[in-house]
Amino acid sequence: MPGLDDLYREIILDHYRSPRNRGELPPPASHAVGHNPLCGDEIEVYLDVQDGIVTDIKVGGQGCSISQSSASMMSQAVKGKPVAEVRALVHRFKSMMSIEEADEDAPEVKLGDLEALQGVVKFPVRIKCAVLAWNTLTEALSTSDAGGDTTR
Amino acid sequence: MPGLDDLYREIILDHYRSPRNRGELPPPASHAVGHNPLCGDEIEVYLDVQDGIVTDIKVGGQGCSISQSSASMMSQAVKGKPVAEVRALVHRFKSMMSIEEADEDAPEVKLGDLEALQGVVKFPVRIKCAVLAWNTLTEALSTSDAGGDTTR
Amino acid sequence: MSHSTLDVAAIRTQFPILSREIDGQPLVYLDSANTSQKPRAVIDAMSRFMEQSYAPINRSAYRLAAEATDAYEGARSAVRRFVNAPKVHELIFTKNATEALNLVAMCWGRANLQRGDVVVLTHMEHHANIVPWHMLVAERGIELRWVPLTADGQLDLTTLPQLLDGAKAFSFTAMSNVLGTITPVRELCRAAHDAGAIAIVDGCQYVPHNVTDVQAWGADFLAFSSHKLCGPSGIGVLWGREALLDAMPPFLGGGNMIADVRLDGFTTAELPAKFEAGTPPITEAIGLGAAIEFLEGIGMTEIRRHEMQVADYALRTLTERFGDDITIHGPTNVEHRGATFSFAFRDIHPHDLSQVLDQRNVCVRAGHHCAKPLMRVLGAAATARASFYLYNDESEVDVLADALDSATDIFGF
Amino acid sequence: MSHSTLDVAAIRTQFPILSREIDGQPLVYLDSANTSQKPRAVIDAMSRFMEQSYAPINRSAYRLAAEATDAYEGARSAVRRFVNAPKVHELIFTKNATEALNLVAMCWGRANLQRGDVVVLTHMEHHANIVPWHMLVAERGIELRWVPLTADGQLDLTTLPQLLDGAKAFSFTAMSNVLGTITPVRELCRAAHDAGAIAIVDGCQYVPHNVTDVQAWGADFLAFSSHKLCGPSGIGVLWGREALLDAMPPFLGGGNMIADVRLDGFTTAELPAKFEAGTPPITEAIGLGAAIEFLEGIGMTEIRRHEMQVADYALRTLTERFGDDITIHGPTNVEHRGATFSFAFRDIHPHDLSQVLDQRNVCVRAGHHCAKPLMRVLGAAATARASFYLYNDESEVDVLADALDSATDIFGF
Ligand SMILES: Cc1ncc(COP(=O)(O)O)c(C=O)c1O
Ligand SMILES: Cc1ncc(COP(=O)(O)O)c(C=O)c1O
């Protein structure tokens, strides 16, 4: 059985203790709430999208170390990025979590700190925790007036 | 295992082939319909009760040899009897079928031909067939204006 | 007809109950249309699961629970494959097919049917595909129309376009549990869609005996039960197209089907959880998965071929031996029927007949088969029904025929 | 407290899964409030039934079917005895407790509740006893009122008469699945009746662990699940008073629940068939009967006494070892609680906690336990929950405590 250090890397615990981009954004920021019915985790994502760029992001909610650190790292990773790149990152992250097929032809997207979450794959039950923020992000993106979003 | 001759006595087959008191009675005769949901058997009982006496009875419906012969024998047995005696007979018949407790103190009630149905007890699935007519009779009795009925 | 590829003797050894004797006689189980027997593989899968892996589903995070959840969801995948559904979350585990059909009537029906809306059924439906619609008639004043039957017990499709005109749903069986008739499902789905109606298929009798492909059919909903396809009791299946299921209100309320619950209301979970309130039939899903693997191992094409052969033999034997003394309902061409035979034998009431057959340990059902409207069409209050499955063979047709002979001795009048 | 009369070591040998090891460690199964493990007696009863006696229920007349029907009805009698219900036909087999509670809300509710009518619930209800009532709020505008809790997680009954004033039903749990709290059922039933309301008892957590007597309670309905009392998944029980059940419209429509079906309508069968549409969980009923006999063999009084002892040991051990680092919800007096403990441990999220405990094969549930309104009252989004049953003993409390220690190592900040 994989050891717990595969799961609870120091950088994960750091984001859990000191979550980045925590807070809310006022309307017209788009907003989505995600639930993990298994454990009651909740993630809220607030998103400012201007001219196809995620200009600001804030994250709320509560939950386990994995869901919260994933949300925190995600917020860092997408802030300032074009929507198209954000979507590519979502896909890249989900394929790291082995719930979407890796896309051979996709442009290389850097995961950075997010790589630390790789170990979650060895604990299948926790994949949902790691992905919750990302699904909520996708929902917020699709409810935003992302006019510049041409990736779909 | 009990043999089929325990079940299909000659007198039963006779009542099955030539059912007695078959037909209908016009209102104000009381009327009840009984179903055996297991096999689709149906019994209709029409009852004229005057001054506490079952002055006439007719039986309709269709079904297996046991349900039909039981209905036929029943009609013979109750015709002309006071309601109180009829109820006692119902009870006596059901205790023969071992679905009601025999009543030690009850006045002796003659079963006559009905004794032939005794063998049904050895085939528990068929007890419902034998009893259907009797339950329908009870229902017809309770919907009749059986003013003379003091047994309850 | 090509020769059976099934080794029935070998198959029978896999069903422990089939070697049981009562009063020294072997069991001739001809009631599989009612409920089927269980192979060792299913019994063992359930025992093993309870002995080694039983745990809550979708609720707890420890490994044992994850293992049990994987097994449960694995069964869902097996069901998806078995009926070729597009998406695994379109498959809902219910308690039986009856619940599945009620779910469609209640949830799809309440969301989509108003007073005067029309639902089309057929005269050969099982009560499970009638009574839920009656309830909607009483509750919201919908109208029911009925596809009649031809003399040989097939659907009479001559007026189908008129019946479907303006209808919202067409709900029909893929195979009659009384007549054995196999209906032209693909054609019926197309006719429903042409009329703007959805197509709801009662697959209870069809799915256990044939290759099922909901996509090839073009169906919208499919209901069937585990216990008729060698799986355990206590579990059934509803498949529905995602878009329809998503748009439906939930069915039962409680745990697992919610995203959030507050004092003032609730929101529903995603599919399939949305329609699986409470603790599901966990061990039963494992058993159902094992049953599907068992049937797939033998091959649904082969099973169908075998049953056509048995059906053919039964039709020939019974008519040859009994001529006008027997009336077998339903189609005579085995291309259009399964190996389920309702029949009248002389003037002997089916209940008496089944009693006499039981003396020889021949198990047939006598009654209305939960299809009273059809019985009225047939002009019979009850029939006897012998239904054959992969573990039955021609020799049992002969035993049945011999037992029928013995009934004549008693009721020979 | 008197000493436990249970020989837990002997009991454990009867549960095959409890000798399973994962990664070389024994299984410490502390999730029985979620679902319980199955003894050999239950597993074998189900296997044996499928191997020897499986057949349709209530439909066919041959001996095998009669034998199966007797076994199925025998299980109903066992359930009647187990909860001391007056009449055997007052017991309805459902798919789980959730369906039982939905049945009451839908059938009794639709027949008896109009706009503005009041149903009283408590803040400690499971979603299964909340969401069905929410559905009635949405459908017919009934009003829900909530009995609040005291600081130690008991029902705060000070305003009960006001809450019940004018209410039509009071539906409450006999034991909280989160707090472990045992509620004063008899008193609550009396209060309901005094106000002219019926009393609906959610017995999911109570019935597996205590002597149950619906007549002594004076209850009107009782719902519980087989899978929490050592029985199989796929079956639950609704008991209701005959007069109430008789006056209710049916629930699901289909086979078995009808007296007659015509093209233009149907009439319902007698109890209990009226509420058991379709093929029931046959093998599961046999398993449930076996579970009840298994529990009766040990003795419900003895089981309760054992669990009080374990609960007492757990309360003492955890508070002694962890002091302020642990917050255990619910009553501290074991007279008022079962051996189910929800707790917060340091700042460690329950999900992480359960992950760490799982490394030692200690199975606890982390989450909202299908009681989100209660979680909001507790001010927690989730808790960890350890629940003990007859097969758990004090040594497992120690293993739990040791495992909690190891969590501090990882999340020691
Ligand atoms: C055609 C048909 N539909 C529906 C049903 C109902 O299935 P179940 O009793 O498993 O709910 C049956 C079987 O009884 C059937 O044969
Ligand atoms: C108090 C309570 N009520 C209702 C339920 C629902 O039971 P089931 O999931 O078996 O339907 C549960 C268990 O999950 C429970 O603990």
Side-chain angles (χ1 to χ4, degrees):
Chain A
M1 180 174 108
L4 283 184
D5 353 326
D6 286 332
L7 188 62
Y8 296 124
R9 302 280 193 79
E10 192 41 51
I11 187 159
I12 292 180
L13 294 177
D14 177 60
H15 274 270
Y16 181 41
R17 277 172 221 146
S18 329
R20 325 296 200 267
N21 296 307
R22 189 118 188 127
E24 307 181 2
L25 292 175
S30 69
H31 173 222
V33 189
H35 294 271
N36 181 344
L38 176 67
C39 57
D41 282 6
E42 251 179 52
I43 298 277
E44 300 196 56
V45 171
Y46 298 85
L47 217 56
D48 267 339
V49 178
Q50 276 161 29
D51 301 329
I53 308 278
V54 174
T55 51
D56 203 0
I57 179 170
K58 292 280 184 202
V59 175
Q62 40 64 37
C64 68
S65 59
I66 303 301
S67 73
Q68 299 305 301
S69 61
S70 180
S72 171
M73 292 190 233
M74 172 200 80
S75 71
Q76 281 194 315
V78 308
K79 193 163 167 180
K81 291 253 168 69
V83 168
E85 244 177 72
V86 170
R87 287 200 191 276
L89 184 66
V90 171
H91 180 65
R92 179 87 169 74
F93 183 79
K94 286 190 170 181
S95 53
M96 180 172 85
M97 290 293 117
S98 75
I99 55 172
E100 282 184 8
E101 296 259 317
D103 190 347
E104 298 292 309
D105 306 333
E108 188 53 23
V109 191
K110 284 263 173 57
L111 284 169
D113 282 4
L114 288 163
E115 301 250 8
L117 285 165
Q118 179 107 53
V120 172
V121 183
K122 297 183 195 157
F123 297 82
V125 177
R126 305 305 292 274
I127 291 176
K128 276 191 189 165
C129 309
V131 172
L132 179 60
W134 299 80
N135 286 337
T136 314
L137 171 66
T138 305
E139 214 183 306
L141 276 176
S142 65
T143 60
S144 83
D145 308 320
D149 176 10
T150 54
T151 54
R152 283 212 157 165
Chain B
M1 178 173 108
L4 282 184
D5 354 325
D6 287 332
L7 190 61
Y8 296 123
R9 303 278 194 79
E10 193 41 50
I11 186 158
I12 291 179
L13 294 177
D14 176 61
H15 275 270
Y16 181 40
R17 276 172 223 147
S18 327
R20 325 295 201 264
N21 297 307
R22 192 124 183 122
E24 307 182 1
L25 291 175
S30 68
H31 173 220
V33 189
H35 294 272
N36 181 344
L38 176 67
C39 58
D41 282 5
E42 252 178 53
I43 299 278
E44 300 196 57
V45 172
Y46 298 84
L47 218 56
D48 268 339
V49 179
Q50 276 162 30
D51 300 329
I53 309 276
V54 174
T55 51
D56 203 2
I57 178 168
K58 293 279 183 202
V59 176
Q62 40 63 37
C64 67
S65 58
I66 304 301
S67 73
Q68 299 305 302
S69 61
S70 180
S72 171
M73 291 191 233
M74 171 200 81
S75 70
Q76 282 195 314
V78 308
K79 193 162 165 180
K81 290 253 168 67
V83 168
E85 245 177 72
V86 170
R87 288 199 190 277
L89 183 67
V90 171
H91 180 65
R92 179 88 169 72
F93 183 79
K94 286 188 169 183
S95 53
M96 180 173 84
M97 290 294 117
S98 73
I99 55 173
E100 282 183 10
E101 296 259 317
D103 192 347
E104 299 292 308
D105 307 333
E108 189 53 21
V109 191
K110 283 262 172 57
L111 283 170
D113 282 3
L114 288 162
E115 302 249 7
L117 285 164
Q118 179 108 52
V120 172
V121 183
K122 298 182 194 156
F123 297 81
V125 177
R126 305 305 291 274
I127 291 176
K128 277 192 190 165
C129 309
V131 171
L132 179 60
W134 299 80
N135 286 338
T136 314
L137 171 66
T138 306
E139 215 184 304
L141 278 176
S142 65
T143 60
S144 83
D145 307 320
D149 176 12
T150 53
T151 56
R152 281 212 156 164
Chain C
M1 181 169 314
S2 65
H3 209 274
S4 172
T5 49
L6 291 198
D7 181 352
V8 176
I11 288 172
R12 288 180 70 85
T13 63
Q14 299 188 50
F15 288 78
I17 203 171
L18 296 182
S19 54
R20 176 173 169 187
E21 301 198 335
I22 302 184
D23 275 341
Q25 299 178 104
L27 191 66
V28 180
Y29 188 76
L30 304 181
D31 202 14
S32 297
N34 202 333
T35 196
S36 67
Q37 294 300 343
K38 318 304 172 203
R40 164 99 15 243
V42 168
I43 301 170
D44 286 354
M46 294 172 73
S47 298
R48 212 179 315 118
F49 182 75
M50 289 190 277
E51 284 164 12
Q52 297 180 10
S53 312
Y54 184 82
I57 293 301
N58 286 334
R59 289 186 178 182
S60 294
Y62 46 86
R63 283 164 292 170
L64 190 68
E67 185 180 314
T69 302
D70 283 351
Y72 178 75
E73 293 302 331
R76 199 190 305 278
S77 297
V79 174
R80 189 210 62 72
R81 189 180 65 228
F82 194 55
V83 301
N84 194 30
K87 295 174 182 158
V88 72
H89 58 255
E90 293 174 334
L91 290 142
I92 315 291
F93 287 132
T94 60
K95 69 173 177 177
N96 52 26
T98 300
E99 187 186 26
L101 289 164
N102 276 268
L103 197 165
V104 176
M106 293 307 138
C107 300
W108 182 87
R110 289 218 178 99
N112 292 281
L113 298 177
Q114 310 300 329
R115 170 165 300 279
D117 279 348
V118 171
V119 171
V120 180
L121 307 173
T122 88
H123 275 162
M124 61 167 82
E125 296 312 311
H126 187 279
H127 293 161
N129 194 26
I130 298 176
V131 179
W133 303 107
H134 275 327
M135 289 175 162
L136 280 186
V137 170
E139 185 183 309
R140 39 185 60 206
I142 66 165
E143 182 196 329
L144 299 183
R145 292 186 195 149
W146 303 83
V147 179
L149 306 187
T150 62
D152 72 335
Q154 304 204 52
L155 293 180
D156 178 350
L157 301 180
T158 46
T159 58
L160 187 62
Q162 290 90 303
L163 288 169
L164 283 173
D165 186 33
K168 291 273 172 74
F170 183 17
S171 191
F172 56 89
T173 188
M175 174 172 152
S176 163
N177 65 314
V178 178
L179 306 169
T181 313
I182 292 176
T183 62
V185 179
R186 189 198 291 243
E187 187 181 336
L188 300 177
C189 289
R190 197 176 317 116
H193 292 160
D194 286 350
I198 65 161
I200 304 161
V201 182
D202 176 351
C204 279
Q205 296 292 334
Y206 185 93
V207 173
H209 304 279
N210 297 274
V211 175
T212 301
D213 184 336
V214 294
Q215 298 189 65
W217 276 346
D220 296 299
F221 288 104
L222 171 70
F224 60 100
S225 275
S226 156
H227 68 91
K228 292 192 206 272
L229 52 75
C230 301
S233 54
I235 185 166
V237 175
L238 174 66
W239 166 79
R241 283 204 294 112
E242 180 179 35
L244 293 172
L245 291 172
D246 270 338
M248 278 153 57
F251 185 50
L252 304 183
N256 199 44
M257 56 69 73
I258 57 95
D260 193 18
V261 177
R262 298 168 312 281
L263 291 184
D264 63 353
F266 70 98
T267 52
T268 52
E270 312 263 280
L271 294 175
K274 174 180 174 182
F275 292 108
E276 293 184 357
T279 303
I282 304 173
T283 308
E284 292 65 30
I286 308 308
L288 171 56
I292 286 175
E293 280 175 20
F294 171 79
L295 291 176
E296 285 175 338
I298 292 169
M300 296 312 295
T301 310
E302 288 70 25
I303 290 172
R304 169 66 178 143
R305 198 181 303 144
H306 167 72
E307 289 178 17
M308 283 171 77
Q309 178 173 325
V310 174
D312 191 58
Y313 184 77
L315 283 170
R316 277 189 291 117
T317 305
L318 295 174
T319 33
E320 273 167 27
R321 280 183 65 165
F322 302 111
D324 286 348
D325 280 348
I326 197 165
T327 308
I328 300 175
H329 300 289
T332 50
N333 179 344
V334 295
E335 300 280 340
H336 299 136
R337 61 140 54 246
T340 291
F341 302 96
S342 283
F343 57 93
F345 186 69
R346 300 206 164 100
D347 281 337
I348 306 175
H349 190 277
H351 209 168
D352 292 315
L353 200 57
S354 124
Q355 182 83 58
V356 176
L357 298 183
D358 185 37
Q359 295 297 107
R360 306 209 166 192
N361 230 352
V362 175
C363 304
V364 303
R365 182 172 174 189
H368 53 66
H369 316 292
C370 301
K372 285 197 144 200
L374 172 58
M375 301 313 283
R376 291 202 179 88
V377 171
L378 296 181
T383 67
R385 182 185 69 188
S387 53
F388 297 79
Y389 202 7
L390 75 164
Y391 40 66
N392 299 116
D393 65 13
E394 282 90 343
S395 73
E396 291 174 295
V397 173
D398 295 331
V399 178
L400 170 65
D402 292 347
L404 286 173
D405 259 338
S406 71
T408 316
D409 301 342
I410 295 172
F411 290 92
F413 49 82
Chain D
M1 179 167 320
S2 66
H3 209 274
S4 172
T5 48
L6 290 199
D7 181 351
V8 176
I11 288 173
R12 288 179 71 84
T13 63
Q14 299 188 50
F15 288 80
I17 204 172
L18 296 182
S19 54
R20 175 173 170 187
E21 301 197 336
I22 302 184
D23 274 344
Q25 298 177 105
L27 191 66
V28 179
Y29 187 76
L30 304 181
D31 201 15
S32 297
N34 202 333
T35 196
S36 68
Q37 294 300 343
K38 317 304 172 203
R40 166 95 19 240
V42 168
I43 301 171
D44 286 354
M46 293 172 72
S47 298
R48 213 179 315 118
F49 182 74
M50 289 191 276
E51 285 164 13
Q52 297 179 9
S53 313
Y54 184 83
I57 292 303
N58 286 334
R59 289 185 177 182
S60 294
Y62 46 86
R63 283 164 293 168
L64 191 67
E67 185 179 315
T69 303
D70 284 351
Y72 178 76
E73 293 302 330
R76 199 189 305 278
S77 297
V79 174
R80 189 211 61 72
R81 187 180 65 228
F82 195 55
V83 301
N84 194 30
K87 295 175 184 161
V88 72
H89 58 256
E90 292 175 332
L91 291 141
I92 316 290
F93 286 132
T94 61
K95 69 173 177 176
N96 52 26
T98 301
E99 187 187 25
L101 289 164
N102 276 268
L103 197 165
V104 175
M106 292 307 136
C107 300
W108 181 87
R110 288 220 179 99
N112 292 282
L113 298 177
Q114 310 300 329
R115 170 165 300 279
D117 278 348
V118 171
V119 171
V120 180
L121 306 173
T122 87
H123 275 163
M124 62 167 82
E125 295 314 310
H126 187 278
H127 293 161
N129 194 25
I130 298 176
V131 179
W133 303 107
H134 275 329
M135 290 175 162
L136 279 186
V137 171
E139 184 183 310
R140 38 184 60 205
I142 65 165
E143 182 196 332
L144 299 183
R145 292 186 195 149
W146 304 82
V147 179
L149 307 186
T150 62
D152 73 336
Q154 303 204 52
L155 293 180
D156 177 351
L157 300 181
T158 46
T159 57
L160 188 62
Q162 290 91 304
L163 288 169
L164 282 173
D165 186 33
K168 291 273 172 75
F170 182 18
S171 190
F172 56 88
T173 188
M175 173 171 152
S176 163
N177 65 314
V178 178
L179 305 169
T181 313
I182 292 176
T183 61
V185 178
R186 188 199 290 244
E187 186 180 337
L188 299 178
C189 289
R190 197 175 318 115
H193 291 161
D194 286 350
I198 64 160
I200 304 161
V201 182
D202 176 352
C204 279
Q205 297 291 334
Y206 185 93
V207 174
H209 304 279
N210 297 274
V211 175
T212 301
D213 184 335
V214 293
Q215 298 189 66
W217 277 345
D220 296 299
F221 289 104
L222 170 70
F224 60 99
S225 276
S226 156
H227 68 91
K228 293 191 206 272
L229 52 75
C230 301
S233 53
I235 186 166
V237 174
L238 175 66
W239 166 79
R241 282 204 292 112
E242 180 179 34
L244 293 172
L245 291 172
D246 270 338
M248 279 154 57
F251 185 50
L252 305 183
N256 198 46
M257 54 71 71
I258 57 95
D260 193 18
V261 178
R262 298 167 312 281
L263 292 183
D264 63 353
F266 69 98
T267 51
T268 53
E270 312 263 280
L271 295 174
K274 175 179 175 185
F275 293 108
E276 292 184 356
T279 303
I282 305 174
T283 308
E284 292 64 31
I286 308 308
L288 170 56
I292 286 174
E293 280 175 20
F294 171 80
L295 291 176
E296 285 174 337
I298 292 169
M300 296 312 296
T301 309
E302 288 68 26
I303 290 172
R304 169 67 179 144
R305 198 181 302 142
H306 167 72
E307 290 178 17
M308 283 172 79
Q309 178 174 325
V310 173
D312 191 59
Y313 183 78
L315 283 170
R316 278 189 289 114
T317 305
L318 295 174
T319 33
E320 273 166 25
R321 280 184 65 167
F322 301 111
D324 287 347
D325 280 347
I326 197 165
T327 309
I328 300 175
H329 301 289
T332 50
N333 179 343
V334 296
E335 299 279 341
H336 298 136
R337 62 140 54 246
T340 290
F341 302 97
S342 284
F343 57 93
F345 186 70
R346 299 205 164 100
D347 280 337
I348 307 175
H349 189 276
H351 209 169
D352 292 315
L353 199 59
S354 124
Q355 182 83 56
V356 175
L357 299 182
D358 185 37
Q359 294 296 110
R360 305 208 167 193
N361 230 352
V362 175
C363 304
V364 303
R365 182 171 174 191
H368 53 66
H369 316 292
C370 300
K372 284 197 143 202
L374 172 57
M375 301 313 284
R376 291 202 179 87
V377 171
L378 297 180
T383 67
R385 182 187 67 188
S387 53
F388 297 79
Y389 203 7
L390 75 165
Y391 40 65
N392 299 117
D393 64 13
E394 281 91 342
S395 74
E396 291 175 297
V397 173
D398 295 331
V399 177
L400 169 65
D402 292 346
L404 286 173
D405 259 339
S406 71
T408 316
D409 301 343
I410 294 173
F411 290 92
F413 49 83

